[in-house]
Amino acid sequence: MIEKFKYAVSALAVAFLVYIFTFYVDGEMGMILIAFVLGAPLISLALVLYARKNIKVSFNCDAYVKKGNKLKVTVNVEKKNMIPFPFIEIKPFASDVFIPDNKIYRFSMFNAGKSKFDFELAANVGGHGEVGISEIWSSGFLGFMRFKIKDCVPENFSVGVIPEIPDVKASSALVRSIANVVATSENDEDNDTAMLYTSNTVPGYEHREYIQGDALKRINWKLSTKKSKLMVRLDEAAASVQPVVVLDLYRPDTLPIENAIRVEERIICSVFGLMEALVKQGVASTFLFRSNSGEVVSENIDDPDYIPQVLLKVLDVKIENNTRIDIRHFSGSVCALIAATTDAGEGFEAITSSVGECENITIIGESLRAKNSTSYPLWYLDEDNNFKMV
């Protein structure tokens, strides 16, 4: 409204000056000025309206950027013909994981058929982000005419901001606790396997010879000793002694977005720091997270080199407000459940109750102040990368 008022005042000022010049200074020159003042806006208006339907805007950038670095975005503008265009104004868009760029970029397409410009966005918070163009205008006649272009606005592009995975201490009580649960489960499994031996001393699990790259924890040492070669159990057997780590990035629409993204970053860092620490201790885990389609993705985390790849998959998922992960259809065996959540309040218990009779359930929150509506212990990662219980 203020901008339109300024344009109206400017137009009245120009009309007043033309009137004074025509009737009190030079009538002939004044008529030329009147023709210009009336004709130029009409021509400019025609070009501005024409530009709205005959321009193409696109942009490109990397799909991922490390936190603390800058993302370079290139915007390309192209005319569909050679007719002179007025000025084009473009306002970039970036979600809250980036430091916003409030600059409006203005340039002329009078002669050039194509034009492009670059801008940079500082990655400020780890997590899923979006980059794009929020508004495009065509403007003419010294900026007095300005119309928004809607048809050529490209869709936003997903960009993951990669946080640094914390180096969680192996001496952390949570890491030791999970490792002990897995070790106990493996011993119980070995006992059950021994009872399934047949007359030819072949265990009840299916096995194959060891291949370089197989997880060492899948080796059946008893059978390997009998056969004098390394034998590994297939995935079905190994899965029964793996802890399950669930990532629940729940974002209530009542929480300010600037707070939500920092809580989510903290949870993501805690989860991947924990899984990396477990792998270094020889403990593989099953990792569950929600995909863009709402389905649950299951990843077997048994190699530290694979963890950064899984992190990129998580950062590619757009978070929906008021939506939790649904693991009711997960059919794997669970020796321990570690549920990392941004909000362990109302509705969270549906996750912990989806794993049947699991006795070892742990919750990971974002800080000492994280809410916990359940009776299960809640841990958080402190500033020294050590898990502590609330």
Side-chain angles (χ1 to χ4, degrees):
M1 182 61 69
I2 296 177
E3 187 175 0
K4 292 182 179 179
F5 179 75
K6 290 180 179 179
Y7 290 156
V9 171
S10 299
L12 291 174
V14 171
F16 176 74
L17 291 175
V18 171
Y19 174 81
I20 296 297
F21 193 89
T22 302
F23 292 97
Y24 296 97
V25 180
D26 189 333
E28 183 177 351
M29 183 59 67
M31 295 304 296
I32 296 176
L33 288 176
I34 291 175
F36 173 77
V37 170
L38 294 178
L42 293 177
I43 295 174
S44 182
L45 176 62
L47 292 176
V48 168
L49 295 176
Y50 184 79
R52 297 175 66 189
K53 301 293 183 181
N54 293 274
I55 192 170
K56 180 181 179 182
V57 179
S58 61
F59 71 96
N60 58 76
C61 62
D62 292 334
Y64 299 96
V65 60
K66 287 187 176 181
K67 178 183 176 180
N69 291 353
K70 290 187 176 181
L71 177 72
K72 180 181 178 181
V73 183
T74 300
V75 179
N76 300 284
V77 184
E78 182 179 356
K79 294 193 301 185
K80 296 182 180 179
N81 50 53
M82 297 305 296
I83 296 178
F85 272 13
F87 285 92
I88 303 298
E89 300 180 7
I90 293 180
K91 182 179 181 181
F93 161 80
S95 59
D96 293 83
V97 295
F98 297 96
I99 296 177
D101 180 2
N102 297 319
K103 183 178 178 181
I104 296 179
Y105 296 84
R106 299 178 177 89
F107 51 93
S108 173
M109 296 286 289
F110 189 80
N111 292 321
K114 296 181 180 179
S115 182
K116 71 175 183 179
F117 64 90
D118 300 325
F119 66 92
E120 292 184 336
L121 295 168
N124 190 41
V125 182
H128 176 272
E130 288 188 337
V131 173
I133 296 173
S134 60
E135 294 177 320
I136 304 174
W137 298 277
S138 63
S139 63
F141 196 65
L142 306 179
F144 289 112
M145 298 175 182
R146 192 164 178 261
F147 296 92
K148 183 177 293 187
I149 303 175
K150 298 181 179 179
D151 296 338
C152 68
V153 177
E155 293 185 359
N156 294 338
F157 187 73
S158 293
V159 178
V161 177
I162 306 172
E164 183 178 354
I165 299 177
D167 185 14
V168 175
K169 299 177 181 178
S171 59
S172 173
L174 179 59
V175 176
R176 296 201 312 269
S177 174
I178 296 172
N180 290 336
V181 169
V182 172
T184 302
S185 299
E186 285 182 334
N187 291 334
D188 293 341
E189 182 190 58
D190 289 339
N191 293 334
D192 293 341
T193 303
M195 297 176 64
L196 294 175
Y197 273 25
T198 60
S199 57
N200 60 0
T201 69
V202 177
Y205 292 110
E206 293 184 6
H207 294 76
R208 61 168 170 78
E209 287 191 40
Y210 173 83
I211 300 176
Q212 186 174 2
D214 286 337
L216 296 179
K217 71 184 300 297
R218 295 181 183 174
I219 297 177
N220 188 321
W221 296 103
K222 293 181 180 179
L223 182 61
S224 298
T225 302
K226 292 179 179 293
K227 289 184 172 289
S228 298
K229 56 184 177 182
L230 293 177
M231 302 293 294
V232 296
R233 290 176 295 203
L234 299 184
D235 290 347
E236 291 77 12
S240 62
V241 294
Q242 285 190 352
V244 174
V245 181
V246 179
L247 178 61
D248 175 44
L249 296 179
Y250 177 77
R251 181 187 292 178
D253 53 15
T254 56
L255 185 65
I257 184 64
E258 59 272 15
N259 295 343
I261 58 176
R262 295 194 177 276
V263 173
E264 291 156 6
E265 177 190 36
R266 188 67 179 167
I267 292 298
I268 291 173
C269 290
S270 300
V271 163
F272 280 88
L274 173 64
M275 292 192 298
E276 187 173 69
L278 290 174
V279 170
K280 290 179 180 179
Q281 295 300 308
V283 179
S285 59
T286 300
F287 177 52
L288 306 179
F289 64 95
R290 188 178 182 275
S291 68
N292 278 312
S293 63
E295 299 179 351
V296 176
V297 179
S298 177
E299 295 283 353
N300 187 39
I301 310 297
D302 58 0
D303 184 348
D305 294 333
Y306 185 52
I307 291 178
Q309 300 179 41
V310 178
L311 175 59
L312 296 184
K313 294 181 180 180
V314 170
L315 298 177
D316 189 49
V317 179
K318 184 177 181 179
I319 299 174
E320 296 184 13
N321 287 357
N322 303 319
T323 304
R324 293 190 184 275
I325 187 172
D326 185 358
I327 63 171
R328 289 176 298 176
H329 301 294
F330 175 69
S331 58
S333 300
V334 181
C335 69
L337 174 69
I338 302 94
T341 182
T342 53
D343 187 328
E346 183 180 357
F348 173 72
E349 197 166 354
I351 296 176
T352 57
S353 62
S354 299
V355 293
E357 299 299 326
C358 180
E359 298 180 355
N360 301 292
I361 298 179
T362 299
I363 301 173
I364 295 179
E366 54 93 15
S367 70
L368 180 65
R369 300 177 299 276
K371 65 174 66 174
N372 183 8
S373 63
T374 73
S375 58
Y376 303 115
L378 186 143
W379 298 72
Y380 71 96
L381 189 66
D382 66 10
E383 295 179 355
D384 296 325
N385 295 332
N386 188 25
F387 279 100
K388 291 185 177 180
M389 186 183 297
V390 175

PDB file of all heavy atoms in Angstrom, residues 270-281:
ATOM      1  N   SER A 270      22.810 -36.470  17.231  1.00  0.00           N
ATOM      2  CA  SER A 270      22.869 -37.450  18.315  1.00  0.00           C
ATOM      3  C   SER A 270      22.721 -38.863  17.778  1.00  0.00           C
ATOM      4  O   SER A 270      23.463 -39.777  18.172  1.00  0.00           O
ATOM      5  CB  SER A 270      21.773 -37.161  19.342  1.00  0.00           C
ATOM      6  OG  SER A 270      21.923 -35.877  19.910  1.00  0.00           O
ATOM      7  N   VAL A 271      21.769 -39.067  16.864  1.00  0.00           N
ATOM      8  CA  VAL A 271      21.514 -40.403  16.321  1.00  0.00           C
ATOM      9  C   VAL A 271      22.711 -40.917  15.536  1.00  0.00           C
ATOM     10  O   VAL A 271      23.170 -42.054  15.739  1.00  0.00           O
ATOM     11  CB  VAL A 271      20.254 -40.384  15.423  1.00  0.00           C
ATOM     12  CG1 VAL A 271      20.200 -41.613  14.535  1.00  0.00           C
ATOM     13  CG2 VAL A 271      19.010 -40.320  16.273  1.00  0.00           C
ATOM     14  N   PHE A 272      23.232 -40.097  14.634  1.00  0.00           N
ATOM     15  CA  PHE A 272      24.337 -40.570  13.805  1.00  0.00           C
ATOM     16  C   PHE A 272      25.630 -40.681  14.593  1.00  0.00           C
ATOM     17  O   PHE A 272      26.470 -41.539  14.303  1.00  0.00           O
ATOM     18  CB  PHE A 272      24.493 -39.664  12.585  1.00  0.00           C
ATOM     19  CG  PHE A 272      23.509 -39.961  11.497  1.00  0.00           C
ATOM     20  CD1 PHE A 272      22.263 -39.351  11.492  1.00  0.00           C
ATOM     21  CD2 PHE A 272      23.805 -40.880  10.506  1.00  0.00           C
ATOM     22  CE1 PHE A 272      21.330 -39.637  10.506  1.00  0.00           C
ATOM     23  CE2 PHE A 272      22.883 -41.179   9.513  1.00  0.00           C
ATOM     24  CZ  PHE A 272      21.643 -40.554   9.512  1.00  0.00           C
ATOM     25  N   GLY A 273      25.808 -39.846  15.606  1.00  0.00           N
ATOM     26  CA  GLY A 273      26.954 -40.009  16.476  1.00  0.00           C
ATOM     27  C   GLY A 273      26.890 -41.323  17.245  1.00  0.00           C
ATOM     28  O   GLY A 273      27.908 -42.017  17.407  1.00  0.00           O
ATOM     29  N   LEU A 274      25.682 -41.684  17.704  1.00  0.00           N
ATOM     30  CA  LEU A 274      25.506 -42.942  18.433  1.00  0.00           C
ATOM     31  C   LEU A 274      25.762 -44.138  17.522  1.00  0.00           C
ATOM     32  O   LEU A 274      26.485 -45.075  17.899  1.00  0.00           O
ATOM     33  CB  LEU A 274      24.088 -43.013  19.010  1.00  0.00           C
ATOM     34  CG  LEU A 274      23.700 -44.349  19.663  1.00  0.00           C
ATOM     35  CD1 LEU A 274      24.575 -44.618  20.883  1.00  0.00           C
ATOM     36  CD2 LEU A 274      22.226 -44.347  20.050  1.00  0.00           C
ATOM     37  N   MET A 275      25.183 -44.139  16.327  1.00  0.00           N
ATOM     38  CA  MET A 275      25.346 -45.286  15.422  1.00  0.00           C
ATOM     39  C   MET A 275      26.802 -45.450  15.007  1.00  0.00           C
ATOM     40  O   MET A 275      27.294 -46.569  14.870  1.00  0.00           O
ATOM     41  CB  MET A 275      24.441 -45.126  14.207  1.00  0.00           C
ATOM     42  CG  MET A 275      22.963 -45.240  14.523  1.00  0.00           C
ATOM     43  SD  MET A 275      21.885 -45.383  13.068  1.00  0.00           S
ATOM     44  CE  MET A 275      22.211 -43.817  12.247  1.00  0.00           C
ATOM     45  N   GLU A 276      27.503 -44.328  14.796  1.00  0.00           N
ATOM     46  CA  GLU A 276      28.919 -44.420  14.447  1.00  0.00           C
ATOM     47  C   GLU A 276      29.718 -44.998  15.600  1.00  0.00           C
ATOM     48  O   GLU A 276      30.620 -45.828  15.387  1.00  0.00           O
ATOM     49  CB  GLU A 276      29.441 -43.043  14.062  1.00  0.00           C
ATOM     50  CG  GLU A 276      30.864 -43.059  13.529  1.00  0.00           C
ATOM     51  CD  GLU A 276      31.285 -41.693  13.001  1.00  0.00           C
ATOM     52  OE1 GLU A 276      31.441 -40.776  13.840  1.00  0.00           O
ATOM     53  OE2 GLU A 276      31.444 -41.558  11.778  1.00  0.00           O
ATOM     54  N   ALA A 277      29.401 -44.581  16.820  1.00  0.00           N
ATOM     55  CA  ALA A 277      30.109 -45.116  17.987  1.00  0.00           C
ATOM     56  C   ALA A 277      29.851 -46.608  18.149  1.00  0.00           C
ATOM     57  O   ALA A 277      30.759 -47.376  18.491  1.00  0.00           O
ATOM     58  CB  ALA A 277      29.673 -44.356  19.242  1.00  0.00           C
ATOM     59  N   LEU A 278      28.614 -47.043  17.892  1.00  0.00           N
ATOM     60  CA  LEU A 278      28.285 -48.464  18.002  1.00  0.00           C
ATOM     61  C   LEU A 278      29.028 -49.284  16.967  1.00  0.00           C
ATOM     62  O   LEU A 278      29.563 -50.363  17.268  1.00  0.00           O
ATOM     63  CB  LEU A 278      26.770 -48.660  17.854  1.00  0.00           C
ATOM     64  CG  LEU A 278      25.901 -48.157  19.005  1.00  0.00           C
ATOM     65  CD1 LEU A 278      24.423 -48.275  18.652  1.00  0.00           C
ATOM     66  CD2 LEU A 278      26.194 -48.933  20.294  1.00  0.00           C
ATOM     67  N   VAL A 279      29.078 -48.800  15.729  1.00  0.00           N
ATOM     68  CA  VAL A 279      29.775 -49.540  14.676  1.00  0.00           C
ATOM     69  C   VAL A 279      31.255 -49.691  15.012  1.00  0.00           C
ATOM     70  O   VAL A 279      31.855 -50.748  14.796  1.00  0.00           O
ATOM     71  CB  VAL A 279      29.595 -48.838  13.310  1.00  0.00           C
ATOM     72  CG1 VAL A 279      30.512 -49.448  12.268  1.00  0.00           C
ATOM     73  CG2 VAL A 279      28.161 -48.946  12.837  1.00  0.00           C
ATOM     74  N   LYS A 280      31.852 -48.627  15.549  1.00  0.00           N
ATOM     75  CA  LYS A 280      33.273 -48.694  15.922  1.00  0.00           C
ATOM     76  C   LYS A 280      33.508 -49.711  17.030  1.00  0.00           C
ATOM     77  O   LYS A 280      34.625 -50.214  17.175  1.00  0.00           O
ATOM     78  CB  LYS A 280      33.760 -47.308  16.357  1.00  0.00           C
ATOM     79  CG  LYS A 280      33.853 -46.309  15.207  1.00  0.00           C
ATOM     80  CD  LYS A 280      34.320 -44.950  15.701  1.00  0.00           C
ATOM     81  CE  LYS A 280      34.423 -43.958  14.544  1.00  0.00           C
ATOM     82  NZ  LYS A 280      34.849 -42.603  14.998  1.00  0.00           N
ATOM     83  N   GLN A 281      32.453 -49.998  17.788  1.00  0.00           N
ATOM     84  CA  GLN A 281      32.548 -51.004  18.845  1.00  0.00           C
ATOM     85  C   GLN A 281      32.150 -52.391  18.345  1.00  0.00           C
ATOM     86  O   GLN A 281      32.042 -53.336  19.122  1.00  0.00           O
ATOM     87  CB  GLN A 281      31.655 -50.603  20.029  1.00  0.00           C
ATOM     88  CG  GLN A 281      32.078 -49.330  20.729  1.00  0.00           C
ATOM     89  CD  GLN A 281      33.473 -49.426  21.304  1.00  0.00           C
ATOM     90  OE1 GLN A 281      33.792 -50.368  22.030  1.00  0.00           O
ATOM     91  NE2 GLN A 281      34.324 -48.455  20.965  1.00  0.00           N
TER      92      GLN A 281
END
